[in-house]
Amino acid sequence: MKFNDLPPWATGLLVSFSLLTSCKQELEKAVPLSAEMKTPADTILRNVEDAYPGVSGIVKEGVLEGQPIRYMEKNGQAVWQGDIILSPEQLSGNGPNSPEQLAQPGKNAKTEGAGMTNPDRRWIDFIIPYQIGAGVNESVISNAINAWQSSTPIRFVPRTNQTDYVRFVQASGNSSALGRQGGMQEIRVQSGVSAGTVMHEIGHTIGLWHEHARADRDAHIIINWHNIISKEEENNFWQYYEGDGFDFDPFDFNSIMLYGNYDFSKDPKNLPTMVKKDGSLWTLNRQSPSSSDARTVKSMYSNLYIIWNGSLYGVNPKDGSFVNLGSGMLAPARSIAEDKNELRIIENGSLWKVNRLNGQKQKLGNYYWGGSVGLTGADPYGYCYAQHGTRLWKIDRFGNRTRLGGVNALENWSGTQAVFYHKNALYVIWKDALYKVNTTTGLVDRSYGSGWYNINGMAALFSSSNELYILSGSSIRRMNLITGTYTPIPGSFTNVKGMTAVGGVIYLVSGSVLYKVNPLTGARQTLSGGWDATTSIGSSRYADL
Ligand SMILES: [Zn+2]
């Protein structure tokens, strides 16, 4: 089998294997201050999330997704923050945000190779196949699974023949890998484990890190280092990024991913290891994932899509990291549509169905779509919408099209600036006027008047909302679709290449920077740079489920 015969995912696999040698060296690089100490098992009052209670370890240094971290090597495994097992592959330093990659001139940080060394750790289609090993309390596992399923799009299915899956196993401690590893991965649970602790470990399997390890945690909590039982257990309180990190939502004392006040204390009844900034304690939540936990998962499992300089990138809205999904996107239309996990893109004059995980594309229909405004949608039936030539078009999943418009509709839609599908209607800015077009009858249902110049993007925060965000010139207007009035949100956004929204947050490329924008305050946060050649943007709306 030739290397070139492999599909893109297999190329990533080979790259990963080739990294194992260097990872091994990372694993073996001990830190001079390392200490080997025993943790008295009898100090553990609650069922603390600890991978190997009472097992000695050695402090090591490594690189996680380009960021230097310290972890413990226990039983030959890289244990991070107490209960997260990192793979040698995850500890490699070749991610797209690694110093080596970012130091490259020009756009080298976005080469396909860099993207492939940072494989997507999310579970495909939100589905986690699972098995339950001998001796594990099935009802506890099932309660924990139900808690995540009731608040997020994540779904667990009993494993049949899936390659990637989780096995719950009875063990001496509680631990999980971080995200999908490829192949079988374990969630280790102690005898008598609570459903809450299993929920916590599942959180790691989905891809969540610890709340108390956030980059901004020192603004919210105090670590009482002198109360920690041993030097060795300090690793449970290290932050994940020692530089800047990006955290979703404010610090959440109700997070299922937060440890308890007395965990790893030398006197677990009297000496807290963590307190709030004001010295008070929090009530440990091991009942169910918090609403913020659920929002974080939804954000992680949604995606932004950007066409930059002819290549399609999947962009993580959490931290701005990206994966190259393929090149050859010629003269793409400005917006990218999405239909139940598949992208719809107009480029090179044709309409394409594109797999959002691996970028594989398939041409839909034989119409010429060059110069289209759109694509937008899809609606719940899979129809996308575009303006092309003098017409508005409704396009089905096979690329067949029907013309919108009737006796009361404008007959000539050339001069359309933007189209946006929302709540069974197509919003069209034709010349400087905004119209609501009925996607069933094709008639104009309402005119919102004129004054809409230099449109650089349209978006809705949620599929149910009654507001649109329209970028006119350098100002984002929050348009109330009921009253027909709008309010500009604070801030000026110049040289905008495209705007979208997902999970209640606006994302836009202004100049060369991809920003996350608060839809109420207009406050912006830089997600990543180098996006100056952006031509198109879109988003998956799964966060809206
Ligand atoms: Zn944990």
Side-chain angles (χ1 to χ4, degrees):
M1 183 166 60
K2 284 187 307 179
F3 187 84
N4 286 342
D5 290 334
L6 295 171
W9 59 266
T11 309
L13 216 56
L14 287 184
V15 172
S16 304
F17 284 141
S18 70
L19 287 171
L20 287 177
T21 313
S22 60
C23 298
K24 191 165 178 303
Q25 287 163 357
E26 289 287 348
L27 280 168
E28 287 169 358
K29 189 172 67 178
V31 180
L33 58 81
S34 68
E36 297 206 27
M37 297 180 214
K38 292 280 185 185
T39 307
D42 61 0
T43 61
I44 296 165
L45 293 185
R46 77 176 188 92
N47 203 338
V48 177
E49 291 85 10
D50 189 357
Y52 296 104
V55 174
S56 61
I58 302 170
V59 180
K60 295 288 183 74
E61 283 180 343
V63 175
L64 178 64
E65 294 175 5
Q67 301 286 338
I69 62 160
R70 289 177 291 172
Y71 61 92
M72 303 297 290
E73 189 178 290
K74 291 185 175 185
N75 285 2
Q77 292 196 289
V79 181
W80 188 49
Q81 297 188 351
D83 67 336
I84 300 171
I85 310 293
L86 296 176
S87 66
E89 186 188 334
Q90 277 175 303
L91 283 167
S92 73
N94 293 315
N97 292 322
S98 68
E100 295 80 6
Q101 290 292 343
L102 293 178
Q104 298 293 321
K107 301 306 300 178
N108 286 357
K110 278 187 184 138
T111 60
E112 187 168 0
M116 285 300 178
T117 56
N118 185 27
D120 197 330
R121 301 245 170 241
R122 296 175 301 179
W123 292 85
I124 306 298
D125 292 338
F126 319 95
I127 294 170
I128 304 182
Y130 74 102
Q131 286 179 341
I132 297 182
V136 177
N137 185 327
E138 291 193 25
S139 69
V140 167
I141 303 299
S142 144
N143 287 343
I145 284 174
N146 289 340
W148 279 109
Q149 291 190 154
S150 67
S151 57
T152 70
I154 297 290
R155 293 293 174 264
F156 284 79
V157 298
R159 189 229 176 195
T160 51
N161 60 353
Q162 293 92 338
T163 306
D164 301 344
Y165 64 102
V166 166
R167 180 183 290 161
F168 294 92
V169 296
Q170 186 92 293
S172 59
N174 301 302
S175 67
S176 167
L178 190 60
R180 180 174 58 90
Q181 301 297 303
M184 190 276 284
Q185 62 188 80
E186 291 179 343
I187 290 182
R188 299 167 62 254
V189 295
Q190 281 179 314
S191 173
V193 70
S194 69
T197 287
V198 178
M199 287 174 212
H200 176 100
E201 299 304 340
I202 288 176
H204 291 315
T205 298
I206 294 172
L208 295 180
W209 298 2
H210 284 140
E211 192 74 4
H212 51 272
R214 289 167 60 121
D216 66 350
R217 66 105 183 269
D218 289 335
H220 304 278
I221 61 173
I222 297 167
I223 309 293
N224 292 324
W225 296 97
H226 50 280
N227 289 347
I228 298 171
I229 187 164
S230 67
K231 190 87 181 157
E232 183 185 64
E233 297 299 347
E234 287 183 0
N235 78 89
N236 291 295
F237 302 91
W238 293 337
Q239 282 171 283
Y240 53 68
Y241 281 174
E242 296 180 353
D244 288 332
F246 176 71
D247 300 307
F248 195 83
D249 275 356
F251 193 95
D252 178 18
F253 286 103
N254 200 36
S255 172
I256 200 122
M257 306 314 290
L258 179 64
Y259 274 4
N261 296 110
Y262 293 98
D263 289 352
F264 305 100
S265 168
K266 59 174 68 162
D267 181 354
K269 288 177 180 163
N270 300 301
L271 299 176
T273 48
M274 290 191 289
V275 294
K276 288 187 183 179
K277 204 73 174 159
D278 64 4
S280 65
L281 307 178
W282 55 82
T283 304
L284 184 70
N285 169 27
R286 286 295 181 272
Q287 298 303 309
S288 61
S290 71
S291 57
S292 181
D293 291 332
R295 275 168 54 81
T296 304
V297 170
K298 289 174 183 174
S299 168
M300 192 188 319
Y301 276 76
S302 62
N303 236 335
L304 300 176
Y305 299 94
I306 292 178
I307 298 178
W308 177 91
N309 200 24
S311 290
L312 174 66
Y313 291 89
V315 183
N316 185 332
K318 188 174 191 300
D319 62 7
S321 61
F322 39 77
V323 180
N324 187 330
L325 295 173
S327 58
M329 296 282 175
L330 304 175
R334 200 164 179 184
S335 53
I336 296 170
E338 178 257 342
D339 176 29
K340 292 192 173 18
N341 231 11
E342 292 173 349
L343 303 180
R344 296 278 190 277
I345 293 175
I346 289 175
E347 62 94 8
N348 202 12
S350 296
L351 171 65
W352 304 84
K353 174 169 88 172
V354 180
N355 183 313
R356 78 177 183 98
L357 295 174
N358 62 21
Q360 286 179 350
K361 63 182 190 180
Q362 178 188 337
K363 191 174 171 184
L364 296 177
N366 289 311
Y367 292 109
Y368 175 71
W369 292 103
S372 291
V373 176
L375 216 47
T376 183
D379 68 16
Y381 307 101
Y383 290 99
C384 290
Y385 300 86
Q387 182 268 329
H388 182 254
T390 60
R391 306 299 183 205
L392 292 177
W393 299 99
K394 180 175 185 175
I395 309 161
D396 73 12
R397 287 185 170 135
F398 305 99
N400 303 312
R401 70 185 190 186
T402 51
R403 180 187 150 195
L404 289 181
V407 288
N408 294 321
L410 282 173
E411 291 297 325
N412 186 344
W413 290 95
S414 63
T416 293
Q417 293 193 70
V419 293
F420 185 72
Y421 171 81
H422 182 65
K423 283 176 84 171
N424 296 319
L426 186 63
Y427 293 88
V428 181
I429 297 179
W430 178 77
K431 297 192 174 171
D432 75 327
L434 173 61
Y435 297 97
K436 178 184 182 183
V437 175
N438 187 307
T439 54
T440 303
T441 65
L443 304 179
V444 171
D445 276 351
R446 183 168 177 179
S447 169
Y448 288 101
S450 58
W452 299 91
Y453 298 103
N454 302 317
I455 302 305
N456 285 311
M458 297 173 76
L461 298 185
F462 299 101
S463 62
S464 59
S465 54
N466 288 319
E467 293 171 329
L468 290 188
Y469 288 78
I470 303 176
L471 183 50
S472 178
S474 60
S475 174
I476 300 176
R477 299 172 176 179
R478 182 168 56 247
M479 173 80 189
N480 187 313
L481 296 172
I482 308 296
T483 64
T485 57
Y486 68 81
T487 318
I489 73 170
S492 174
F493 299 88
T494 56
N495 194 16
V496 172
K497 312 296 170 61
M499 178 177 84
T500 189
V502 63
V505 177
I506 294 170
Y507 298 87
L508 59 80
V509 174
S510 170
S512 64
V513 179
L514 171 62
Y515 289 107
K516 172 179 176 173
V517 180
N518 183 311
L520 290 177
T521 66
R524 66 189 85 180
Q525 178 176 10
T526 298
L527 279 181
S528 51
W531 295 105
D532 49 311
T534 293
T535 50
S536 320
I537 191 166
S539 53
S540 162
R541 290 164 297 155
Y542 270 89
D544 202 353
L545 290 175

